[in-house]
Amino acid sequence: MSEKLELHYRLAEISNQNLKKAEELKEEMINEISTSDLLSATLKAHMYIERELNLLLEYFFPNTQSLIKLKFASKLKLVYELKILDKELFDVINKLNDIRNEFAHELHSSKSNDIYKRLSDSLSKTINKYHKIEVKMKEMLYGNLSEENKYKILLAQIWIQVVIFCSTKERRKMMFGEKLISEVKTDVDKIESD
């Protein structure tokens, strides 16, 4: 029992170190997208999120470079279906991928004027709460924000939530392993009882 507690403590320390590293990248990412047009901001946020998905895949499936070569939607679906990524992040990242694909296929997307609403409608309560707080704080400093600026804030917020989620990948791997052990035990018990 104390061994397991020690492991949880060590995993918490690793998560904290991962978050500190992410804090350094946060400012870089926010600066990049804040001065970009909608297309560039969307593509950059998408690329930042894909980097996190790649890190998750490499962590859970070492020496499997073929997974990194998958298309974004396939990577996203894989980590979601394996229960590595939760539904609230899956939904919003999936919507962002839809928006990115629209941009990729239409240079001047006619739907670009409602992308903020479409993306914000896909938010879970938790991410939406953090986003509203962030927007309120920015509006207190700078006055009313345009839909474009709110969209860019939302892109950064989604990426930050993904980074926070991924910073606990070691603990998630342990939980994933415990789940697999439980499933194998259930299968063995079922076989033995038949």
Side-chain angles (χ1 to χ4, degrees):
M1 180 69 168
S2 68
E3 227 176 81
K4 195 168 185 176
L5 285 174
E6 171 73 21
L7 182 58
H8 279 282
Y9 175 76
R10 290 172 51 207
L11 290 175
E13 287 295 314
I14 291 169
S15 295
N16 287 337
Q17 291 170 0
N18 291 341
L19 285 173
K20 285 178 187 175
K21 290 176 191 173
E23 187 64 33
E24 297 167 8
L25 293 173
K26 176 183 167 186
E27 289 305 314
E28 175 186 321
M29 190 267 197
I30 290 172
N31 287 337
E32 277 188 45
I33 66 171
S34 66
T35 58
S36 300
D37 59 40
L38 286 176
L39 170 62
S40 298
T42 302
L43 293 175
K44 286 176 183 178
H46 192 273
M47 289 169 39
Y48 272 95
I49 291 170
E50 185 165 19
R51 180 177 62 192
E52 295 302 320
L53 289 178
N54 287 343
L55 291 172
L56 272 179
L57 287 170
E58 288 171 351
Y59 184 76
F60 279 87
F61 308 101
N63 303 319
T64 311
Q65 287 300 314
S66 59
L67 293 177
I68 302 304
K69 294 177 184 174
L70 291 173
K71 291 185 177 191
F72 184 91
S74 297
K75 293 176 194 180
L76 181 61
K77 188 175 180 182
L78 178 64
V79 294
Y80 174 69
E81 288 183 357
L82 288 172
K83 307 230 183 300
I84 296 169
L85 188 68
D86 62 18
K87 181 160 177 49
E88 73 177 29
L89 278 175
F90 172 79
D91 288 343
V92 72
I93 295 169
N94 196 41
K95 179 55 73 178
L96 175 61
N97 191 50
D98 290 346
I99 290 168
R100 178 242 169 244
N101 287 340
E102 287 174 16
F103 272 125
H105 298 291
E106 295 181 38
L107 186 56
H108 302 291
S109 176
S110 59
K111 296 180 181 181
S112 65
N113 57 352
D114 70 340
I115 59 174
Y116 172 67
K117 180 178 178 356
R118 291 177 32 231
L119 189 57
S120 63
D121 285 349
S122 71
L123 298 176
S124 68
K125 287 182 182 180
T126 304
I127 297 174
N128 192 29
K129 180 180 92 173
Y130 290 129
H131 176 61
K132 285 182 178 181
I133 291 169
E134 185 84 19
V135 168
K136 259 308 185 221
M137 290 171 46
K138 298 284 187 200
E139 286 185 331
M140 288 171 60
L141 290 171
Y142 306 112
N144 287 336
L145 297 173
S146 68
E147 295 286 300
E148 183 175 327
N149 285 332
K150 289 178 185 178
Y151 177 73
K152 290 175 182 178
I153 292 168
L154 180 53
L155 291 175
Q157 187 65 45
I158 293 166
W159 175 75
I160 290 164
Q161 291 298 317
V162 171
V163 169
I164 290 169
F165 183 87
C166 293
S167 71
T168 60
K169 65 185 176 292
E170 292 83 6
R171 189 166 38 117
R172 292 182 193 289
K173 190 174 188 179
M174 186 173 79
M175 291 167 36
F176 184 68
E178 289 171 350
K179 179 182 172 272
L180 290 175
I181 290 170
S182 175
E183 288 175 5
V184 168
K185 184 181 179 329
T186 301
D187 290 347
V188 168
D189 291 346
K190 183 179 176 189
I191 291 169
E192 288 177 342
S193 68
D194 288 342

